[in-house]
Amino acid sequence: MNADLSTIALNFQLEGIIDEVKQLGEGFINDTFIITTEGKSPTYILQRKNKAIFSPIPAMMDNIEKVCQHIKGKVKAAGGDPMREAMTVIPAKDGKLYWLDAEEEYWAVCLFIEDTIAYDAAETPELAYAGGKGIGKFQSLVADLNEPLVNILPGFHDIRFRFNQWDEVIAKDPVGRKAEIAEEISWVESRRNEMLDFWKLVEDGTIATRVTHNDTKINNILFNKEGNVLCVIDLDTVLNSTALNDFGDAMRSYTNTGAEDDENLDNVSMDIEIYKAFTKGYLEEAKSFLTAKEIEYLAFSAKYITYEQVLRFLMDYIDGDNYYKTKSPEHNLVRTRAQYKLLQSMEEQFDEMNKIVKEFVA
Ligand code: GN1
Ligand code: MG
């Protein structure tokens, strides 16, 4: 057992005796561990939260707790199980929602929900449909959460903000990588106006801002053994943002026939059947609260978020890989190319994507 990690875990209000603390997965942002306990005591998730990205962490934890409590209330009222259908933040022994170690690193714990399945890819339309219902349901559960959340990620899906960062990084070219990637830079530049035109509708309020998840990859959803959505997890990025961001980010990850960092671009394309199934599930839950403008831009949001990801990966590459964890010097460039291939595939299928949305709101 990693002695340091269990010492950290001991600062939280855990039940039972810690058996083991082990690394879990390979998040790009946080470090995640699983705490197993002896006997029938619960299992927990321990995370070192990335304070360089989420700032300030205490406000992030307050956002998460607000959303969790709100969902728990709704689940209870509907006769569901609030311990399984919502995340549970486990406070530290001093009552705070986080624990700060001697190196000023922030740690947080939540309950591990047993007997669930998480998928790394939406392999079937059935799964994509369930995921769509999950995200739509999540948004509807928090649609009446009226207290504003603290914006701990200023400009997260705001393309104007991203262009400001982009322009700065391009001007600096801190590690001299710009010259070799003129083509990739042109992919971003050639769509700048298209993306800004859309973003203006958000800035002037034509497209509403809501409580949203902002990281709707399929592995942020826990399914039960029957294949139904139980709970949406990884609430670090809950923000007041547009519902379209959640839809778009889900489509960026669900519909990709390849990997986010696929080196073989022939593997990468948008699977329209997966898009269709997710859209059906999502709109079944969400069409009652979405406005006509949101629905009009739903298909576009898939392109928007995929484009944003192209920009963010490429920007991080130019910047010398300061944001995303990378496994090789070219990793962010590989990710950029793979996401761009996906974007092109969406552009090719855009008419069909719009038709599908129309079909499910008719
Ligand atoms: C990051 O760490 P993870 O996988 O939850 C990122 C997302 C990106 C994603 C790309 C706060 O999410 O925005 O889309 O990587 N989260 C943050 O895979 O930047
Ligand atoms: Mg995340």
Side-chain angles (χ1 to χ4, degrees):
M1 174 165 35
N2 186 323
D4 280 334
L5 287 170
S6 22
T7 314
I8 290 162
L10 282 171
N11 289 288
F12 289 87
Q13 298 179 24
L14 308 183
E15 278 173 45
I17 296 161
I18 298 174
D19 177 25
E20 207 179 14
V21 187
K22 279 196 307 198
Q23 178 142 3
L24 183 73
E26 300 178 71
F28 291 1
I29 309 277
N30 297 314
D31 297 306
T32 304
F33 306 90
I34 186 157
I35 308 172
T36 47
T37 57
E38 290 176 10
K40 288 200 171 127
S41 301
T43 301
Y44 301 93
I45 298 292
L46 168 71
Q47 281 190 312
R48 176 171 43 215
K49 299 289 189 180
N50 191 325
K51 65 178 177 186
I53 290 178
F54 307 112
S55 175
I57 301 283
M60 175 178 87
M61 294 308 300
D62 285 341
N63 285 349
I64 294 175
E65 180 66 356
K66 251 186 217 169
V67 168
C68 289
Q69 290 304 337
H70 187 82
I71 295 178
K72 279 181 191 292
K74 290 281 187 79
V75 168
K76 255 188 245 165
D81 180 350
M83 300 308 280
R84 290 182 62 73
E85 293 172 45
M87 274 184 57
T88 304
V89 177
I90 307 293
K93 285 184 174 157
D94 63 6
K96 293 200 178 95
L97 299 174
Y98 58 88
W99 181 73
L100 190 61
D101 71 16
E103 272 112 57
E104 309 245 310
E105 293 292 341
Y106 287 89
W107 296 83
V109 171
C110 66
L111 193 68
F112 176 81
I113 305 172
E114 305 276 355
D115 297 321
T116 63
I117 311 169
Y119 298 91
D120 279 324
E123 263 152 28
T124 62
E126 291 70 30
L127 199 53
Y129 170 77
K133 285 195 87 82
I135 296 303
K137 177 99 183 289
F138 175 85
Q139 288 184 347
S140 79
L141 285 169
V142 291
D144 61 343
L145 173 59
N146 291 320
E147 300 160 70
L149 301 175
V150 179
N151 189 0
I152 49 109
L153 282 169
F156 192 50
H157 286 310
D158 170 345
I159 209 69
R160 192 180 301 282
F161 172 85
R162 294 298 177 194
F163 281 128
N164 290 340
Q165 291 183 315
W166 166 264
D167 289 339
E168 239 174 72
V169 170
I170 294 265
K172 260 199 211 144
D173 190 20
V175 289
R177 283 177 167 175
K178 198 173 86 177
E180 58 191 79
I181 50 163
E183 189 189 337
E184 286 81 356
I185 290 175
S186 79
W187 299 340
V188 172
E189 290 298 345
S190 62
R191 292 164 179 82
R192 188 191 278 252
N193 291 338
E194 180 192 1
M195 299 300 156
L196 280 171
D197 283 348
F198 160 73
W199 192 249
K200 281 181 201 145
L201 300 176
V202 177
E203 289 170 324
D204 71 14
T206 306
I207 290 175
T209 297
R210 307 173 175 280
V211 175
T212 51
H213 184 280
N214 293 293
D215 192 6
T216 48
K217 298 187 284 272
I218 194 157
N219 66 9
N220 280 338
I221 293 185
L222 299 180
F223 291 82
N224 65 16
K225 296 259 155 80
E226 289 73 49
N228 298 315
V229 171
L230 197 58
C231 178
V232 176
I233 57 167
D234 190 4
L235 301 181
D236 292 353
T237 52
V238 285
L239 293 171
N240 296 106
S241 139
T242 80
L244 299 178
N245 292 336
D246 282 353
F247 179 87
D249 200 26
M251 293 302 80
R252 178 184 77 80
S253 63
Y254 279 65
T255 67
N256 191 347
T257 53
E260 189 180 64
D261 59 353
D262 220 305
E263 301 209 25
N264 181 357
L265 295 181
D266 292 339
N267 291 338
V268 178
S269 65
M270 187 194 77
D271 184 333
I272 194 91
E273 290 310 317
I274 298 287
Y275 171 90
K276 188 172 183 178
F278 184 94
T279 304
K280 180 170 194 280
Y282 176 72
L283 283 173
E284 279 177 14
E285 299 291 332
K287 77 174 169 193
S288 61
F289 63 83
L290 293 178
T291 64
K293 268 286 168 224
E294 288 173 300
I295 289 169
E296 185 185 333
Y297 280 91
L298 211 53
F300 181 83
S301 74
K303 294 199 294 182
Y304 178 81
I305 295 288
T306 306
Y307 171 86
E308 180 197 300
Q309 200 62 63
V310 171
L311 183 154
R312 290 176 67 198
F313 283 145
L314 188 57
M315 178 165 74
D316 198 34
Y317 179 73
I318 302 168
D319 198 33
D321 309 317
N322 292 314
Y323 190 93
Y324 293 108
K325 290 181 194 163
T326 50
K327 289 184 184 154
S328 71
E330 300 263 290
H331 201 171
N332 272 320
L333 192 53
V334 170
R335 288 168 173 152
T336 302
R337 291 178 178 143
Q339 290 287 288
Y340 181 63
K341 177 74 196 303
L342 180 64
L343 174 61
Q344 287 178 303
S345 176
M346 288 174 172
E347 289 174 341
E348 281 158 20
Q349 301 182 79
F350 190 51
D351 289 345
E352 186 60 26
M353 290 163 73
N354 272 318
K355 255 191 232 154
I356 288 168
V357 171
K358 288 212 183 98
E359 186 185 317
F360 293 127
V361 288

